[in-house]
Amino acid sequence: MDRISKLPVGIIETILCLLPIQEAARTSILSKEWRYHWTKIPKLVFIEDQFQVSTELSVSNKPSKRRKMAKRSKFFHAICQVLLIHEGPIHDFTLEMQVDNSCVDIDHILLHLSKKNTLKMLKLDLHGKYTLPLSLFSLHQLTDLYLCDCDLEHQPPSTVFGSLTTLNLYEIGSSQKALLRLLSSCPLLKRLTIMCDGGTIDDSGDSTIADLIKCMPGIECLSVLFFIFLFFPLPKELPTTLVHLKYLHLEWVWFRHEYAVPFLVLLLRSAPNLEKLKLEISAEDDMSYESYVKIHSFQHKYYSDFMLEHLNELEILHFGDALNELDFVKLILAKSPVLKKARILMWDEIDKDEKLRISNILLSSPCASPVVKISVR
């Protein structure tokens, strides 16, 4: 008895979504009943490195560059064939491949998806920098958007992504204005990841960190590469707009930079309901004594009324021996009355005696929470 064929259509589509698209298409030879099942699956994933060319032998004697172009041509042809044959809505679309600055084939794919206007999740992982076309901003039903190695040159209209709740940006090339406009066009955004290192954000604009924070009023989870904040001037105060923020993750926090601690304090002051804080510290040369003095003058001015009333978990990775790293952790311990867990992981390069000294200081630091468990490793 063929039990699989008797399953509800929704379950069969879920099973087919778990297969590579080429394997899902091969189920069409099982029987007449299965011939078009795969053309209705709502999730399509195309990964160039996993794409198998059935006529590989016919191009095996060509030079490597021509062979690569031949395979890419077949890859795009396969995508177009699937999109033309596909019936019903497409809710989830993934494309991972190597590209040049412009790629007409990807433009056509996004245009096709925008005309269907059923897409909820889009992932573009395009190694080599791809300039996003205007058709991207016609995907009004998107709830999840993942962009990697793309250039954002066009500015989206206001509230173009009215349903978007999750946005992940990795190595995105953009101006300050285009980035702020993109964030402002997502009024329901709750989860935001921005991982862009130096050189990917044009810092020639006149926007400040305050302008950036104002673009995320509903954010609950924020993961950011610390360097992005260095592209924006530091204001004297940040608006208390991150009232919904529960989880904050900052990578490569450059504690040696004289603006690091002041910015962190301003950011935490703007997120009064934060519950979990995770920092990954960058290893750089030690800061100057003059910068340390500047930071301490800032501390006396802004730390008196600073409390983290809801913070219950602190995690710091790659903790070093910078002058202000210890001060910052001691500050968090002293200003977090409901903190339950603090996990500090130190750099391996620090010698044993120094690790022991730092550990003793942290374990004996005054804590606002009577139940906090501090782990230093």
Side-chain angles (χ1 to χ4, degrees):
M1 182 178 177
D2 182 5
R3 295 183 178 180
I4 295 181
S5 296
K6 303 300 179 184
L7 291 171
V9 174
I11 295 179
I12 292 176
E13 288 180 357
T14 299
I15 293 172
L16 292 175
C17 283
L18 298 174
L19 296 173
I21 187 65
Q22 287 176 291
E23 296 298 325
R26 289 189 180 111
T27 61
S28 61
I29 66 172
L30 294 177
S31 66
K32 288 182 179 179
E33 191 175 347
W34 277 82
R35 186 171 183 181
Y36 297 109
H37 267 314
W38 75 275
T39 65
K40 299 180 177 67
I41 58 176
K43 180 178 180 180
L44 300 177
V45 178
F46 298 96
I47 302 175
E48 186 178 29
D49 290 342
Q50 298 177 5
F51 180 70
Q52 298 175 359
V53 180
S54 58
T55 57
E56 187 72 39
L57 290 175
S58 65
V59 297
S60 60
N61 294 325
K62 295 180 181 179
S64 111
K65 187 173 182 180
R66 289 182 60 193
R67 186 162 64 245
K68 183 177 179 180
M69 292 298 295
K71 182 178 179 180
R72 181 162 298 174
S73 176
K74 292 180 182 294
F75 180 58
F76 277 124
H77 179 72
I79 296 174
C80 292
Q81 287 293 103
V82 170
L83 293 178
L84 287 173
I85 297 172
H86 193 276
E87 300 176 9
I90 300 173
H91 295 316
D92 191 335
F93 187 88
T94 295
L95 178 61
E96 295 183 23
M97 64 177 298
Q98 188 84 26
V99 297
D100 300 321
N101 287 344
S102 60
C103 187
V104 176
D105 295 286
I106 300 179
D107 294 350
H108 289 163
I109 291 169
L110 291 176
L111 182 60
H112 179 88
L113 293 172
S114 68
K115 288 180 178 179
K116 277 214 165 192
N117 200 25
T118 59
L119 201 62
K120 296 183 181 298
M121 302 179 69
L122 174 63
K123 179 179 180 181
L124 297 178
D125 193 348
L126 308 173
H127 306 289
K129 289 293 182 185
Y130 165 70
T131 302
L132 294 164
L134 282 170
S135 56
L136 174 73
F137 306 121
S138 299
L139 299 170
H140 303 300
Q141 306 301 320
L142 281 180
T143 60
D144 295 71
L145 178 59
Y146 176 105
L147 300 174
C148 180
D149 254 350
C150 301
D151 283 338
L152 182 65
E153 294 185 357
H154 304 290
Q155 295 185 31
S158 59
T159 65
V160 67
F161 294 127
S163 302
L164 198 71
T165 58
T166 303
L167 177 61
N168 295 287
L169 304 176
Y170 289 83
E171 301 305 324
I172 294 298
S174 172
S175 65
Q176 286 184 1
K177 190 174 182 180
L179 177 62
L180 297 183
R181 189 66 179 268
L182 174 62
L183 296 177
S184 299
S185 70
C186 312
L188 299 182
L189 197 62
K190 296 183 182 301
R191 291 167 293 277
L192 173 63
T193 299
I194 306 178
M195 295 295 168
C196 304
D197 59 13
T200 55
I201 304 295
D202 179 10
D203 59 355
S204 59
D206 55 0
S207 303
T208 67
I209 295 174
D211 297 317
L212 180 64
I213 298 300
K214 286 178 183 177
C215 294
M216 6 175 147
I219 290 293
E220 296 177 1
C221 300
L222 178 61
S223 298
V224 182
L225 197 68
F226 181 75
F227 280 110
I228 191 173
F229 294 114
L230 300 182
F231 300 127
F232 295 86
L234 183 71
K236 293 182 179 179
E237 187 62 273
L238 288 179
T240 310
T241 53
L242 297 175
V243 293
H244 300 287
L245 188 64
K246 306 292 185 183
Y247 173 73
L248 175 61
H249 173 206
L250 298 176
E251 282 195 21
W252 286 97
V253 179
W254 195 11
F255 263 103
R256 273 72 171 181
H257 195 286
E258 64 182 82
Y259 290 142
V261 173
F263 165 71
L264 286 172
V265 173
L266 289 177
L267 185 60
L268 293 176
R269 283 165 61 94
S270 71
N273 299 308
L274 188 67
E275 295 178 1
K276 181 175 180 180
L277 174 62
K278 180 179 180 180
L279 304 179
E280 297 187 41
I281 299 174
S282 169
E284 299 289 344
D285 293 333
D286 204 356
M287 70 186 306
S288 67
Y289 180 74
E290 290 76 13
S291 296
Y292 185 63
V293 171
K294 286 183 182 179
I295 291 171
H296 268 274
S297 65
F298 177 92
Q299 291 174 352
H300 294 306
K301 184 178 180 181
Y302 286 95
Y303 286 5
S304 57
D305 61 343
F306 167 60
M307 291 296 291
L308 294 168
E309 299 283 356
H310 301 277
L311 189 70
N312 56 61
E313 187 173 347
L314 171 68
E315 183 176 13
I316 299 183
L317 306 181
H318 317 309
F319 190 82
D321 55 355
L323 291 169
N324 56 341
E325 287 180 39
L326 269 173
D327 288 348
F328 180 77
V329 176
K330 289 163 68 176
L331 170 71
I332 300 299
L333 294 176
K335 298 290 186 177
S336 307
V338 298
L339 191 64
K340 296 178 180 178
K341 183 168 62 174
R343 178 174 175 261
I344 315 295
L345 184 64
M346 287 188 277
W347 277 104
D348 289 337
E349 286 77 5
I350 302 175
D351 62 63
K352 275 189 176 182
D353 292 338
E354 183 65 11
K355 283 182 180 178
L356 183 60
R357 185 187 72 84
I358 294 173
S359 180
N360 289 336
I361 292 174
L362 292 175
L363 293 173
S364 61
S365 296
C367 298
S369 171
V371 297
V372 62
K373 292 183 179 179
I374 304 174
S375 171
V376 183
R377 298 182 181 180

